[in-house]
Amino acid sequence: MSKEKVVLAYSGGLDTSVCVKWLQDEKNLDVVCVCGNVGQEETGLDAKKRKALDLGVLDCQVLDLRDEFSDEFLTKAIAANSMYENKYPLLSALSRPLLAKKLVEVAHEFGATYVAHGCTGKGNDQVRFEAAVKALDPELKVIAPVREWDLKCRPDEVAYAHAHNVPVPEGANDNPYSIDDNLWGRAIECGHLEDPWNEPLDDAWVMTKNPEDTPDTPTYTEIEFEAGKPVAVDGKKMKLSEIIIALNKISGDNGFGRLDLVEDRLVGLKSRECYEVPGALTLITAHKALEDICVEGDLLKAKIKLEQDWATAVYNGQWYSPLKNALDAFMADTQKFVTGTVRLKFFKGNCHVVGRKSPFSLYDYGLATYDRDTTFDEKASAGFIEIDTLSLKTWAKVQGPSSAAAQA
Ligand code: ARG
């Protein structure tokens, strides 16, 4: 009788290589690996595929997901100015639902009973993988080896790998950090960073230059948007994945895009995280500036509130959920007229918006100007204030600080 099958989210690193062996030996399963390219720095995906095949997996599918990630996920993140707790642009939270979707597709292709991932039991990513899998196919079962096995730390895993003929990547014990990266940026945690009082060391950063070592003259860049989607940088039309790569370079070279923060994980603990998100922060900064002139004021205020709900839903693994779908529909509606160009100035770790224009701009020079020929009727403001403060005046008379009630 043939064995049951499991589809594993495989990165080719130590954790997921040990997962392959563990699923084969401890669970007696045939393993199919899925290795998604979402634009991570890590290269050598072919070598990783060979490594998986050497471990005896049924198949190892290396999928180039960069455009799907950009077009289906990052476009929505930009529309929602994605920023969890107003500070974290959600890079890991955005890639997990796409990887989970691929796991489910490959599970169907191979008739697998299980999907598996290498996430730990105290992070958010386990929730994101599993919630997405449940939403896409509630019948599929999930195995999380790292939650089950007794390998407490990296040296334990290295020892397991040696004992079971799993090749250990060169320097597997050297990197002091836990890294997750993709087109949208790079997350750095653990090691020296676990004490929130410790300043990040230089070796934490790879996408961004130390602002002290950046050019002494500013760099200007123009980003063009059409209906909320970035379409060109400095006049050059590019697809979104290329725009992000280009902006990661321009902003990173100017030292922009480093974050050092403490965030609230879904599982209830606070964690210190450093992020490098040069392209993501640049695009969100520019996109917000364009919305400022293209989105009507009441709508903009409502959108800013709902952006937090969108980010929380995505952070918490609700990418495929009715709430997130409805919020996406709202966000999409707000983007219809977000077309135009934003001019940015990078200098020594900063990125400032220095210009914005749009064919649909609601900024009316005639209304805004303090010149004599303004079209704004200042006399009308007296009546406006009279009516607008009616409720406040009524309150002031009856309950306000100088009212008889307050004096009593
Ligand atoms: N805290 C972030 C999140 O939950 C990043 C997690 C990334 N994982 C890592 N191994 N550094 O989205």
Side-chain angles (χ1 to χ4, degrees), residues 88 92-93 96 124-125 128 178-180 187-189 263 265 271 273 275 315:
Y88 161 48
S92 304
R96 297 309 186 264
N124 299 309
D125 288 332
R128 296 168 183 151
S178 164
I179 305 291
D180 182 50
I188 313 130
E189 52 183 26
E263 77 193 30
R265 284 194 196 165
S271 93
E273 307 270 348
Y275 297 106
Y315 188 88

